[in-house]
Amino acid sequence: MASQNRKGTVSLRQVSGSARSKKVRIDLGEEATFTRFPAPVKVGDASYFLVRGRDGYKLLSTVCPHQGGEVMDEGDNLFVCDGHGWQYHKTEGTCEGKPDFRMKAFLVTLNGNHLIALVPDE
Ligand code: FES
């Protein structure tokens, strides 16, 4: 079950998973409730952006792959990191001008009309 706070960030609860797998399946809610992308999503202490790219939905971690800064959506065409200002594409998480870097992506699938994410158990 998902709930939404004033900032539009969705908080979620775990629907399955185990300590052995180190990943958990999270029900993000009904697909129809996500009308704007990227959509901020919080799972435990971890923050993501739900995006819809060429190959479907995925969660992009807001932890910068450079040195762990926070990647933010400031409303421009690209995400931007607060660490050193690197910019990332909003659908695939690839780094502008640095092809060896990309935001960490996690699988999101459809189960019925619900979006289910597979994310680290943090
Ligand atoms: S930590 Fe993100 S650009 Fe350096």
Side-chain angles (χ1 to χ4, degrees):
M1 182 69 70
S3 62
Q4 200 161 14
N5 67 20
R6 284 191 324 213
K7 289 184 172 180
T9 301
V10 176
S11 297
L12 308 148
R13 68 175 175 81
Q14 176 180 336
V15 293
S16 69
S18 72
R20 269 182 63 193
S21 72
K22 304 281 189 201
K23 288 203 174 167
V24 292
R25 287 169 37 94
I26 302 291
D27 185 346
L28 302 179
E30 290 187 27
E31 180 184 25
T33 63
F34 294 96
T35 56
R36 294 181 61 194
F37 297 95
V41 171
K42 193 151 177 72
V43 180
D45 292 335
S47 297
Y48 304 90
F49 292 113
L50 175 66
V51 298
R52 191 167 50 190
R54 287 188 306 257
D55 52 351
Y57 294 105
K58 59 186 151 191
L59 288 181
L60 297 176
S61 171
T62 63
V63 177
C64 181
H66 178 223
Q67 291 182 356
E70 182 180 4
V71 177
M72 299 182 297
D73 182 4
E74 297 185 330
D76 299 323
N77 290 336
L78 300 169
F79 293 125
V80 63
C81 176
D82 69 354
H84 308 95
W86 289 15
Q87 296 177 311
Y88 297 90
H89 294 268
K90 286 188 169 179
T91 53
E92 303 302 323
T94 50
C95 186
E96 177 74 9
K98 297 177 178 55
D100 292 342
F101 286 88
R102 63 172 32 222
M103 296 168 73
K104 198 164 190 178
F106 298 94
L107 181 69
V108 176
T109 56
L110 262 174
N111 183 359
N113 62 354
H114 278 239
L115 293 173
I116 306 296
L118 188 63
V119 295
D121 187 10
E122 298 179 310

